[in-house]
Amino acid sequence: MSWQEAEVRELKVGRYMLIDDAPCKIMEINMSKPGKHGEAKGRIVAIGIFDGQKRSVVYPVKHKVKVPIIEKKNAQVLSVNNKEAQLMDTETYETFILTIDESQIGKVNAGTEVSYWEAMGVRKIME
């Protein structure tokens, strides 16, 4: 299990949550006042950390949502081939291949060290 549970009222801007099983960074939270027959609701706007897609959801403030556990790790770049880089984790010495984003081409070079994030079984090189 690579996630925890938290209530909507505990969430803050800049933290992370799962929307449609995708880890997302919370960009905006708006809490409404409770109505005559209902409870307060929270409208959350977030951006996926792996796909960059904007998502928004509305939940009651007592609703439990999933918060991903994001591991931030370092790796050495062994080789770069087109838009893929072969990396070796600096702690476990595991080797794996990740794709390089357009904005990172030229910055990820063999012999250098990069940081990458791992969440929900997905990895991405971060800047």
Side-chain angles (χ1 to χ4, degrees), residues 78-122:
L78 299 177
S79 65
V80 177
N81 185 12
N82 294 333
K83 293 184 180 180
E84 292 185 333
Q86 183 179 14
L87 305 173
M88 179 179 68
D89 189 288
T90 55
E91 290 182 18
T92 63
Y93 304 111
E94 173 191 4
T95 59
F96 50 91
I97 296 174
L98 293 180
T99 57
I100 303 171
D101 287 346
E102 293 291 327
S103 62
Q104 297 169 330
I105 293 176
K107 296 177 184 175
V108 178
N109 299 313
T112 60
E113 197 169 290
V114 295
S115 61
Y116 72 95
W117 288 9
E118 183 175 0
M120 305 298 292
V122 181

Side-chain angles (χ1 to χ4, degrees), residues 28-80:
E28 184 181 328
I29 299 176
N30 295 318
M31 298 290 181
S32 67
K33 295 181 179 178
K36 186 175 181 181
H37 298 290
E39 61 179 303
K41 297 207 178 352
R43 182 178 180 274
I44 302 166
V45 177
I47 296 178
I49 59 174
F50 295 127
D51 59 7
Q53 187 176 348
K54 187 175 181 181
R55 297 172 171 91
S56 63
V57 290
V58 177
Y59 291 123
V61 292
K62 292 183 180 178
H63 182 78
K64 292 207 182 273
V65 294
K66 295 176 183 174
V67 177
I69 298 172
I70 299 173
E71 296 183 53
K72 299 174 183 178
K73 301 178 180 182
N74 292 322
Q76 182 179 354
V77 181
L78 299 177
S79 65
V80 177

Side-chain angles (χ1 to χ4, degrees), residues 1-37:
M1 180 169 80
S2 58
W3 51 268
Q4 301 171 327
E5 282 192 347
E7 289 187 0
V8 171
R9 64 180 167 200
E10 299 169 351
L11 299 176
K12 292 183 173 36
V13 173
R15 299 264 175 94
Y16 300 91
M17 70 177 288
L18 290 179
I19 300 176
D20 300 329
D21 288 332
C24 300
K25 183 174 184 175
I26 299 171
M27 304 308 285
E28 184 181 328
I29 299 176
N30 295 318
M31 298 290 181
S32 67
K33 295 181 179 178
K36 186 175 181 181
H37 298 290

